[in-house]
Amino acid sequence: MTVAQEVGAFLAVCRTAALSTVGADGSPYAANVQFVADAGWRLWWLSSPGSRHSQDVAARPEVSACVYGHDDRAVQIHGVQMTGRADEVAMGSAEGAAALARYRAKLDDAVSAVSDFDAVLARMRLYRLTPGWVRWIDNRKGFGWKVELRPPGA
C-alpha cells in the first residue's frame, strides 16, 4: 500500500477531526467535528451556522485540521495534519448530496441516534475543507516518521 493509499484508508475509517479556525478578531479556536472524506481527502462536516467555528469559517476560510489514531502510546501516534480552505456547500448540489450520502453511511449510528435527523439537518449547514497541504505522521514506522503529500487531484 502506498502512503497516499494509507492516508485515504485512514480518513475513511476515522470519524472525528479537530478543526482549527481563526475568528475575525484574530483569536484561535478549535472544535471537534464528525466528518467524512472524499477521494481528494477533502473533509466534509455538518454544523450549525451559528457555531463559533462556522462563523470563523465565514469570516476567515483558512483553517487547519488534525485527525489522529486513538492510541495514547507515543510509539503508536499516527494521523493526518492538514491546512486549507473551508467553505459552505449547498446540500442540494451534486457535491453536497454525495457528501451527505457518505455522511449518512459512515456515521449511521450517530444519525440513527437522533430521533428526527432530517429536522436537525434542516438547521445545519454542510462545510468542506479543501486541503492544500497534508502531513501524514506514523510513529509505528519509526519515532518521528512523517511525510508531506499533495492531496489527490491537487
Side-chain angles (χ1 to χ4, degrees), residues 35-56:
F35 76 92
V36 295
D38 64 17
W41 303 344
R42 294 180 299 178
L43 306 186
W44 302 77
W45 69 94
L46 293 168
S47 190
S48 165
S51 68
R52 180 167 170 187
H53 59 274
S54 296
Q55 292 176 357
D56 286 354

Side-chain angles (χ1 to χ4, degrees), residues 7-29:
V7 171
F10 179 77
L11 291 173
V13 298
C14 291
R15 301 168 55 110
T16 306
L19 176 70
S20 297
T21 61
V22 176
D25 65 354
S27 61
Y29 184 71

Side-chain angles (χ1 to χ4, degrees), residues 89-150:
V89 177
M91 288 190 217
S93 68
E95 270 192 308
L100 283 175
R102 284 191 306 276
Y103 193 92
R104 286 180 185 267
K106 181 178 182 181
L107 303 169
D108 179 61
D109 59 332
V111 170
S112 298
V114 178
S115 60
D116 190 356
F117 183 74
D118 289 328
V120 171
L121 190 59
R123 297 188 307 269
M124 297 291 157
R125 300 294 183 272
L126 179 64
Y127 296 90
R128 165 186 61 201
L129 186 167
T130 302
W133 173 88
V134 176
R135 175 184 286 152
W136 172 242
I137 297 171
D138 194 345
N139 281 358
R140 299 169 302 180
K141 295 180 179 185
F143 190 77
W145 187 96
K146 61 184 168 264
V147 64
E148 293 182 10
L149 304 160
R150 291 187 55 78

